[in-house]
Amino acid sequence: MEKNELFRNIPKVDVLLERESMAALIGRYGRALVTEAVREETDRLRRIIQTEDEAAAQRALEGLEKAVEDRLAAMCAPRVRKVINATGTILHTNLGRAPISREQAQRLTDIVTGYSNLEYDLENARRGERYAHFEGLLCRLTGAEAAMVVNNNAAAVLLVLSTLAAGGEVLVSRGELVEIGGKFRIPDVCRQSGAGLREVGTTNKTHFSDYEEALTDETKALLKVHTSNYRIVGFTESVPASELAELAHSRGIPMIEDLGSGVLVDLEQYGLSHEPTVQESVRAGIDVVCFSGDKLLGGPQAGIIVGKKEYIARMKRHPLTRALRVDKFTVTALELVLLEYLRQETAAQNVPVLRMVSEKEPSVRARAEKLAALLRQRQLRADVTVTACQSQVGGGSLPLERLDSAAVTLDPWQMSADALERAMLALPVPIVPRVAEDKVLLDMRTVAEDELELTARMLGEVLA
Ligand SMILES: *Cc1c(COP(=O)(O)O)cnc(C)c1O
């Protein structure tokens, strides 16, 4: 057939829109969107006729209505979707970091689907403060005098330095000039805040005297940064926070600490190495401590700042605070998670991140065996075994820590591990696995009990 004839066979947009199949789509998606999809698909058809052979052009012409329908479905499908995290990395920044529990999510729904007292003081019938909901709670949990919250910990560091050190200098050890990822670098944040950075000590060793000698009239604060995502080992030395706090106080300036992960419980009780807690920093006399809401704390994305009343009060008045303000989703979810920490005995069960961090290997293995059994029932075209593996905490927390864990390992008969991984990522609920030695591993530490059936069913389809 001539190209010209093929072109003539493309229906006009308004003619196509009159067809019955299109009327059904208009009912579902609305006229404007269907018209747009029809335009885009007929344009695409023209390009195919122009550039491809006759058979391809015919196929595209016949499939036009179906193509419009598929395009509309793709346009209207949410792009942010639930995935099953089978990587074993608990705080996976690419996968949304800390999940909150179903109970917490249910209460969150109740609050955000209606109105709330977000900034309303019900006792006195007047405007209230959005931080008031958890300020008392944060003070009780950490021992600090005051607290506030901004969008994330990067914002918290920016606000703290902008408020307390702009126009002057802040001293930081060369061993702590970290890059966290996502372009967050301490020297850049200092510059952005208007504070000059004065580096002290060396990469591996910083002494008390290094700080002492660097102090001038320009020094507005001392800053300690938790080296979250790396460790310097060997011939090293750093100055304890309490000594730095004393030095700062002797000059009448604040001691600030960016703690990164914000742990509120002693992780050693779960067999992990010691991670400094917020309480310890407050007790050491640090004036302002900031940390993330969605790392080891296990809450929503947030930057939590606790410390001395006078400094927190200045931050609340700083113009940046309005720009870095948290919304009702964050305020509500954060309060719910913090409430769990009041009862330390149950926090490890009720905060999903703590549950995953503290879960022992036999318990993970039991879940792996259960999934393996479900998969064997389905007679997949793959060898299914339960193997030992190691999980990591992730999110730049506890970088050297490895948690003994168990994986369901899939060795497919008719495709490569990479091909299986891609097929798993294309599932209705994508499964994100690990791939090693041409096998696909599902580290079960981060796969919940209530995800097993769905995981088995979907893998059954991929490997049938
Ligand atoms: C993770 C981290 C940050 C950034 O926190 P976000 O909440 O991700 O913005 C800042 N400082 C340190 C030390 C960190 O570990």
Side-chain angles (χ1 to χ4, degrees):
M1 210 186 296
E2 286 280 322
K3 272 197 197 298
N4 276 345
E5 203 179 334
L6 283 165
F7 276 124
R8 269 196 303 277
N9 284 345
I10 301 176
K12 294 245 169 341
V13 170
D14 37 352
V15 173
L16 192 57
L17 283 172
E18 291 305 313
R19 289 194 193 160
E20 212 171 300
S21 61
M22 293 297 123
L25 291 179
I26 289 168
R28 195 160 359 135
Y29 296 106
R31 178 168 287 274
L33 212 54
V34 176
T35 309
E36 204 177 309
V38 165
R39 284 224 171 83
E40 285 166 2
E41 278 305 322
T42 46
D43 285 349
R44 197 175 70 90
L45 185 53
R46 263 182 218 102
R47 281 195 302 278
I48 290 173
I49 295 172
Q50 196 78 56
T51 55
E52 294 183 28
D53 64 19
E54 192 185 322
Q58 275 294 359
R59 263 200 314 280
L61 194 53
E62 279 156 25
L64 181 59
E65 285 170 53
K66 176 78 171 63
V68 170
E69 184 172 355
D70 290 348
R71 180 176 284 264
L72 284 162
M75 279 159 109
C76 292
R79 303 268 309 167
V80 181
R81 292 154 65 194
K82 174 188 166 65
V83 306
I84 291 172
N85 176 9
T87 65
T89 300
I90 298 165
L91 297 169
H92 201 306
T93 300
N94 302 148
L95 303 182
R97 281 202 193 154
I100 61 171
S101 74
R102 226 165 254 287
E103 294 73 42
Q104 289 156 4
Q106 186 52 54
R107 285 156 73 188
L108 182 61
T109 308
D110 293 342
I111 298 293
V112 300
T113 50
Y115 297 96
S116 62
N117 63 336
L118 180 67
E119 273 190 1
Y120 193 73
D121 177 350
L122 293 168
E123 254 165 69
N124 300 301
R126 63 172 182 221
R127 188 179 191 286
E129 204 185 60
R130 65 181 63 206
Y131 313 113
H133 301 289
F134 43 71
E135 185 165 14
L137 197 49
L138 272 168
C139 292
R140 184 186 295 279
L141 291 169
T142 65
E145 288 175 7
M148 67 177 293
V149 172
V150 289
N151 185 49
N152 55 21
N153 192 33
V157 178
L158 179 65
L159 176 64
V160 170
L161 293 177
S162 301
T163 309
L164 302 180
E169 274 185 358
V170 58
L171 307 191
V172 188
S173 161
R174 288 198 169 89
E176 299 173 358
L177 293 173
V178 303
E179 171 174 321
I180 297 302
K183 297 276 179 322
F184 180 88
R185 296 170 141 199
I186 290 295
D188 296 344
V189 180
C190 277
R191 194 171 316 118
Q192 187 65 42
S193 73
L197 169 67
R198 178 75 169 257
E199 303 176 12
V200 303
T202 60
T203 305
N204 58 327
K205 281 206 171 204
T206 303
H207 307 284
F208 186 81
S209 57
D210 293 325
Y211 287 94
E212 236 177 351
E213 283 157 19
L215 275 165
T216 66
D217 290 344
E218 296 301 303
T219 314
K220 288 216 173 178
L222 304 189
L223 172 63
K224 194 169 177 59
V225 184
H226 187 40
T227 59
S228 305
N229 50 7
Y230 70 98
R231 291 285 179 270
I232 297 175
V233 293
F235 190 57
T236 66
E237 188 173 323
S238 62
V239 185
S242 56
E243 288 178 28
L244 285 183
E246 260 177 53
L247 179 62
H249 298 158
S250 74
R251 304 297 177 104
I253 56 172
M255 172 69 211
I256 303 166
E257 184 171 25
D258 172 8
L259 206 45
S261 227
V263 181
L264 292 179
V265 294
D266 177 10
L267 290 180
E268 278 171 288
Q269 63 183 310
Y270 309 129
L272 295 158
S273 52
H274 183 74
E275 178 71 8
T277 64
V278 182
Q279 297 91 308
E280 284 166 13
S281 293
V282 171
R283 238 182 288 132
I286 312 264
D287 301 284
V288 175
V289 185
C290 62
F291 52 96
S292 283
D294 60 351
K295 289 187 182 170
L296 280 166
L297 186 79
Q301 178 185 303
I304 302 167
I305 311 171
V306 303
K308 299 269 161 63
K309 224 181 197 112
E310 55 165 314
Y311 298 125
I312 301 285
R314 277 168 63 190
M315 286 177 227
K316 285 181 180 171
R317 288 193 302 268
H318 195 283
L320 255 185
T321 296
R322 177 62 178 77
L324 305 175
R325 181 167 95 172
V326 283
D327 73 344
K328 61 189 172 200
F329 291 84
T330 305
V331 168
T332 310
L334 186 61
E335 187 191 19
L336 290 173
V337 171
L338 289 172
L339 281 169
E340 300 289 359
Y341 281 94
L342 284 177
R343 206 147 59 105
Q344 299 255 332
E345 295 87 342
T346 48
Q349 275 316 304
N350 297 344
V351 178
V353 166
L354 284 189
R355 186 165 62 225
M356 288 186 272
V357 166
S358 62
E359 189 178 22
K360 297 275 179 268
E361 187 271 348
S363 163
V364 182
R365 179 169 289 269
R367 215 159 45 248
E369 295 289 359
K370 198 162 165 183
L371 177 62
L374 289 171
L375 291 174
R376 287 186 192 116
Q377 278 169 18
R378 284 167 203 273
Q379 302 183 341
L380 308 186
R381 294 174 177 278
D383 293 331
V384 179
T385 47
V386 172
T387 51
C389 70
Q390 292 194 310
S391 325
Q392 40 185 345
V393 176
S397 306
L398 301 166
L400 304 182
E401 202 77 44
R402 291 292 176 271
L403 310 170
D404 285 333
S405 187
V408 172
T409 296
L410 301 172
D411 191 359
W413 297 341
Q414 282 156 335
M415 58 173 120
S416 68
D418 287 336
L420 176 55
E421 180 192 28
R422 275 194 299 280
M424 286 164 69
L425 295 178
L427 285 164
V429 178
I431 304 172
V432 188
R434 288 215 298 258
V435 175
E437 293 165 12
D438 206 34
K439 292 189 179 66
V440 169
L441 266 72
L442 289 86
D443 183 335
M444 298 306 289
R445 180 171 295 277
T446 48
V447 180
E449 184 78 29
D450 62 9
E451 292 173 332
L452 296 184
E453 284 285 349
L454 175 64
T455 303
R457 186 153 20 93
M458 292 193 303
L459 283 174
E461 279 158 33
V462 172
L463 287 164

